[in-house]
Amino acid sequence: MTKLVEKAASLLREGAVIKVIGYEEGSNKTRPFFCEKAEDVERLIYNGRCTNNLAVYLTKPELLGSGKVAVVATVPTMRSIAQLVKENQLKEEKFLLLTVTKEDEVVEFSGFKEMNDYLADIQLVIDTKEQELINKLDGMNREQRWAFWQQELSSCFKCYACRAACPLCYCSRCVVEVNAPQWIEPWASPLGNMEWHINRAMHLAGRCTGCGACSDACPLGIPIHLLTHKMMEDIDRDFGATFNNSGNVLSTYKVEDKEDFIR
Amino acid sequence: MIKLEVIMDDNKIEFEPRIVAFVCNWCTYAGADLTGTSRLKYASNVKIVRFPCTGRIDFMLILKAFANGADGIIVSGCHPNDCHYTSGNFHARRRWIVFRNLLNFLGIDIARIRYSWVSAAEGAKWADLVNNTVADIRELGPYTEYQKVANYMEEHHD
Amino acid sequence: MEKLYINKNGLDQWFKQMIKGGSHVYAPVQGRDKVDFKRVTELSEVASDFVQTTQSIKKAVFPKAESLFSYQKSGKNVEVQDFDALSVSDKVLWKIRPCDAAGFASLTGIFNWDYKDKPYNTRLEKTTLVSFSCSKSDSYCFCTSVNGGPGSTVGSDIQITMLPGEGALVEVLTSKGKALVELSADSFEQLSKEIDKELYLAKVPVHFALEQVKEKLSVAFDSPVWQQQSERCLGCGACAFVCPTCACFDIQEDAKGSAGRRIRCWDSCGFSLFTLHTSGHNPRPTQSTRWRQRILHKFSYMPERIQKMGCTGCGRCSRACPVDMNILEHLTSIAE
């Protein structure tokens, strides 16, 4: 019995929480698991294969129910939670945040602030395969980049899995669902696909936490997280680290903002 | 949609760029007006869209302009610290910095988008801006790359 | 039904003739990490070692977005241009799986059950299905549990079974298949000996009894199982879009000023907006009601109303799902 399982069992038995949102083993991969009964806690696991971002469920009140909910959060999930807190989307009393260290110790956070402090010490690490693709794109000239993205984005069929998996896409009415006026075509076409992905990247400017859930969710394997990743990099360089700003990068400004392209 | 004006001159095809300008009402639009009243001549290829402030310009409008046949775009407003609404142009500036980087990453030709601060007193600057932009876009040619994507409705995949 | 033999050279020759004849050939091609259907012009482009493609090839007859008609207004007049049957090319769908071919039967049922859909039928008429029987399967496949199988010829015009080390067995099943074979008739030989296809097929275990599932489903409308199974579902459209039998669509308008066109595009019953009324009422307000709809539609409503199965057991939905909503797992637990 792992320490996580023990902890979950005691939380449920004592009635401290009505459910524990964590991971379980699925078919060939791990998947999110909503544990409501103490008898089911044995199914909870936590390892390097747990990559789904559970923060996406925290903005769905019909899923959470009316009591306190425990969340077994990985570092990417915690980053998303931190951003949601900054945007006032989560009530502190509703959640009990847990994580598991490399030594399999369970850490329980007393609140959002403690979680933020814990995160402050952890660096965002880029996977080598990702970095290779980024370097490849940086090395291309404009026409090559256009050809690359046109090819990738043309195959998109607008399933919106990227939006559904992103914890920060919580708008009850997405811009693509507005039809008066219809800003972005909801159907799949090379132009509509490109406009959708550009729009999504811009709406995530300064908010994306780099969890990669969008790319993982894409059934066609389109590397859309590279768009948001590139934005994050640029914003960090131009305006300072995303997590330290008190407001969103696009809703604040500094008189000293520098650019070299406005005449 | 006929875009190229074909002037057969020694078998050369002249192309007239189509430029869309998104400008703010208080500075650049007034500045453009001054250009007219000062009788300064400038290229007629530009269609001006007037906004109350550059802060109101949605980034998607740039893409919509390209999709509808624009070969070049001008975005212009009040100088920093002179915005009629105090800070609209500061927000716009941030937005453009972020958006421009994203477009460049996707391979969209950002050389076709010109950003400028033109005040209500700078009639000559407006004329220069338009003339320079038209000349540069004429060099670059029509933005057929983008229009091909905009007009394509695939019947069967790949 | 005719059985022929073709060797490796013959296969190459025949393929070249198909391309020369002007058909657009779509086949599985290896991408960066996934195998998917693309238009090909050479046999060497076709992927060889894979179980299943990511997407189905239903877009050959049901494109992800298509123009139903276009219109131009001038003053009080409107000029309408209907769907042009002549603009549809001849297609050959090469190396699809038996589960894909079976999916076409379901789609034909949906697009013909009361109104005969012109775009769909025109496209299907001009499409020849060449399936390859499966020598491999994985844990997501369950064709044998839904009246299918790795060597099933239902829906195919031609079925090819590769014989390891040699050429292939070619089963010509329809007149369309025969026409395709005639393009290069001398590439084929008569069979010199009986070939038992079963020897070359994958073994796909039966996981549940379809009749039992149907029975259980007919009384399961108010069961709590839907809530339990659908908690992690994100409500994206991935499963519906990769599925060979899902045909839900949306009608959209692509209008600019006085001209425009009416678009039919893919939609998914899993989207929260799918059944949203303009009044604001939504008869399927929660993900669990939408998950229930998906399963009942495929395994209960479709068989009852149009006598066609809504699922061919290809397993694509489970492979594509970001949160592992494994349909096989769910059906097996319902059957028990």
Side-chain angles (χ1 to χ4, degrees), chain A residues 3 10 12 34 45 65-66 69 75 82 86 91 112 114 118 124 158 171 178 194 209 215 225-226 228 232 240 247:
Chain A
K3 297 221 172 62
S10 75
L12 285 169
F34 291 68
I45 59 168
S66 53
V69 170
V75 171
K86 219 159 86 173
K91 282 203 177 72
F112 292 142
E114 211 191 304
Y118 182 87
L124 181 60
K158 294 292 201 72
C171 285
V178 176
M194 188 179 67
T209 54
S215 254
H225 64 301
L226 292 180
T228 40
M232 264 176 74

Side-chain angles (χ1 to χ4, degrees), chain B residues 76-150:
Chain B
S76 179
C78 305
H79 286 263
N81 287 314
D82 286 344
C83 177
H84 184 83
Y85 303 101
T86 320
S87 55
N89 57 358
F90 288 134
H91 287 295
R93 179 169 62 181
R94 274 231 166 163
R95 190 179 306 140
W96 298 133
I97 295 173
V98 175
F99 191 52
R100 196 168 177 268
N101 283 329
L102 181 64
L103 288 186
N104 189 32
F105 188 56
L106 279 154
I108 293 174
D109 195 354
I110 51 175
R112 293 176 180 270
I113 313 174
R114 293 297 149 91
Y115 299 88
S116 184
W117 308 124
V118 173
S119 80
E122 292 176 313
K125 187 173 178 190
W126 174 251
D128 282 338
L129 176 63
V130 175
N131 287 333
N132 288 335
T133 308
V134 172
D136 290 343
I137 302 292
R138 201 178 269 125
E139 279 287 321
L140 288 172
Y143 202 8
T144 41
E145 206 178 53
Y146 202 97
Q147 260 105 63
K148 242 196 291 183
V149 172

Side-chain angles (χ1 to χ4, degrees), chain A residues 142 145-146 149 183 190 194-195 198-199 202 231 234 239 249 251-255 257 261 263, chain B residues 59-60 64 87 90-91 93-94 98 100-101 104-107 114-115 117 125 145-146 149 152:
Chain A
R142 183 192 74 77
R145 276 203 300 276
W146 173 257
W149 283 112
W183 222 179
M194 188 179 67
E195 287 186 351
I198 290 180
N199 192 283
M202 282 299 284
M231 290 211 62
D234 289 341
F239 305 111
V249 68
S251 57
T252 56
Y253 65 88
K254 285 211 196 81
V255 178
D257 282 340
F261 57 87
R263 299 199 188 152
Chain B
F59 51 83
M60 289 301 288
K64 295 294 177 188
S87 55
F90 288 134
H91 287 295
R93 179 169 62 181
R94 274 231 166 163
V98 175
R100 196 168 177 268
N101 283 329
N104 189 32
F105 188 56
L106 279 154
R114 293 297 149 91
Y115 299 88
W117 308 124
K125 187 173 178 190
E145 206 178 53
Y146 202 97
V149 172
Y152 180 63

Side-chain angles (χ1 to χ4, degrees), chain A residues 138-190:
Chain A
D138 275 338
M140 292 184 188
N141 68 28
R142 183 192 74 77
E143 282 92 359
Q144 289 171 323
R145 276 203 300 276
W146 173 257
F148 173 84
W149 283 112
Q150 277 311 305
Q151 227 232 324
E152 293 286 342
L153 295 178
S154 295
S155 59
C156 168
F157 52 20
K158 294 292 201 72
C159 66
Y160 300 113
C162 47
R163 175 185 72 178
C166 175
L168 290 163
C169 275
Y170 52 76
C171 285
S172 50
R173 194 164 182 221
C174 177
V175 66
V176 76
E177 290 163 5
V178 176
N179 63 4
Q182 191 159 68
W183 222 179
I184 301 171
E185 308 163 348
W187 64 89
S189 74

